[in-house]
Amino acid sequence: MRFLNEDQTHVYGECETCKKKYKIKRKDLDISYDGYKMKHGTVCSCGAVLKRIKGEVETKHCPECAIKLAQIIEICPNCGHDFDKAEVDLEKRKTRIFLISLFSFFGLLISLSGIIIHQTQNTNQTESQVEVDAKDAEEMDEEEKGEMYLVDGEGKYLGQLISDQTAPNSIFNTLGDYGMESSNMSIWNKSGVYGDKSSDVSAFNESAENPPQILYKGSFVAYVSKNRDLGKLTIDPDSIKKWIEDQGY
């Protein structure tokens, strides 16, 4: 018998003598690696013995024992390797690898986005810095600088110490030269020398040796600093508003 075609349930062939077509159930066939063999005693109506379905059959090798098998074999008769299960496991591994790669990719994108956003914010902060002209406190009149005020180690005026947030020079006036977070003369500017965590003149640097000073009518009162090694005459910048209110200003 000559092989013609096959599907999931049947194999199709024809008698090589009379050309009669046959549709044979797979269960009625013995399967070998190189073709299909008919079971005993099958005879065509023309009298020819249909001993075998001849034809090319797709083959594969068992990954466990390397034996050559017909493509449709699902379990290796030599070692018991299950092709269907192996294929499912392979698909699962591929899916897992794909998901890991996908999550890694998105994780990388998120990280890069964070870096870009951070850099953009830093750039915007730098670009939005408000430059206020530095003034020498000694050259300012008393009404302008107030009774109690802040200066740096060189005597540059850093704002009036008064809780009134509408006072023009108050360090708590968020629209004023010494209270806005973008002013170069404000201790609240985290990117400025008086408000960052690395400058030696910053109120927020825990190691600063020359932080801003509180003066009352020109006389030293205390430091405004996170550095606790400066002694008792030091006020934490995060507590400065309460301290000022306690003094009645």
Side-chain angles (χ1 to χ4, degrees), residues 43 55 62-63 65 81 91 98 148 164 166 173 175 179 199 225 227:
V43 180
C62 175
C65 65
H81 175 75
E91 288 302 318
F98 171 76
M148 189 159 56
D164 182 2
T166 63
N173 183 345
L175 299 178
S199 170
S225 177
N227 185 355

Side-chain angles (χ1 to χ4, degrees), residues 22 63 110 226 242:
Y22 283 88
I110 292 172
K226 288 283 188 180
K242 184 178 184 307

